[in-house]
Amino acid sequence: MRSAARPLADHELQRLDAPGLFRHLLAMRDAGEAEAATRAMWFVLWQRQRWVRAKLAVKLPAEVVDDWVPEVFDRVVDSSFDGASEGELVNWLKVIIARAIADFHRGREGRRQRDDRAGAARIGDDDRPAEAGADDLGYELVGERQIVATVLAARSAAHREAIELAYFADQPARAVAERTGLTEANVYQLVKRFKDDCRAEAGSGEPG
Amino acid sequence: MSGVDGLFEAYKAAYRAGEEPGGHDYVARAAPAERPLLESLIDAFLDAAPVPSGAPPAAFRDDPLAQRVMARVEPALRTHETWETVLPAARHAAEITRSTLVSRLAGVLGVGDREDRVAAYYHRMESGTLDPAGVSDRVLAALERVVGVPAQRLRDVGARRGPGALGSGAVFARTTHALEDRAAPPTAAEPVAPEGRDEVDELFLGG
């Protein structure tokens, strides 16, 4: 539940984490404090615009990505996220990004089928963002996204952390070992096995 | 180093260098059988990548994409959210007409035989002419089931009254919805003295 709040200055906004910023943004909007809501939106954008753009750019052609970034943020604001934690906000953003990607591909597929029926006649511009569909997460997102998640889920928390630090964050093995209580050799071995298992999970069959 | 490894390392380096690497392009350079893995790796990397903190620098406000985003969301930020805006938007999102919503709402409430009365009260909710304090939790819970908006959010939003609050003034809505019923709205239910209320009245007036 959102509580009553007052407009915050920049130095106060910069102390808020992402969900705090977003809650403040919504509270200001709901209170009719549009300027304060807009100010908070700039902070949200600063934190998340590049990330959203990069996430979209994994699954969308480069030429349409910048059309979908505003759509994603608009959907986030419209959906009035009420969560309380960083994880919930980020997960909600991921859901909205996945829906946007699915909508894009659904629109493109729809256009392709219509074009097939109508010869080369141009029917409409379906690459532009449209309203979200009632059902979502179609497309092939589930299978693709679960490769890394599935492999990580089979590890212990300590091993997951080591892999995330060493492989995804490129931290030196020594630093990872000190942080996780593993040996450097363990860290190297964990990363190698992780990569092997990812390939097996993906079915590529290529050894690491 | 395999193709996937090389492409993934190149992507990470470019992203960390502040570039805007197009993941789609990197994935397209991988062998078809390896593309799902590279997509998944890039996605996981982005999920773990640090995001900027602090205040946005002045230059960010000149970023063309940021300006496009702001131009897009500003109307939503200027919407004073009330039942008059939330309920039609939720109905639109659920892709149902008002008459369908009313029918389902009456059914969930167990007063399907008095749909016309529910329609009248619901119309007053959407037009901001029904005191939110009188609307029972059962009605809000039923609406949650019908249109998916959490009952607590409806309660919170109802506490803020919009331009049409308890009057017949014009209702501000952010968008024009295609699912509006074309028929004239049902006649608003007249106030009923507590002693003369039936179950439907109690649901919408009794709190």
Side-chain angles (χ1 to χ4, degrees), chain B residues 14 122 203:
Chain B
Y122 180 76
L203 283 167

Side-chain angles (χ1 to χ4, degrees), chain A residues 15 17-18 25 31 34 45 55-56 59 97 100 103 106 114-116 126 138 141 167 178 181 188 191 200-201 204 207:
Chain A
R15 287 201 294 264
D17 59 8
L25 181 158
L45 267 191
K55 296 279 283 185
L56 288 169
K59 305 264 198 313
I97 289 167
D103 287 346
R106 205 156 33 214
R114 289 197 299 275
D115 284 354
D116 284 349
D126 285 332
L141 296 171
Y167 190 52
E178 287 174 1
Y188 286 121
V191 170
E201 181 70 24
S204 69

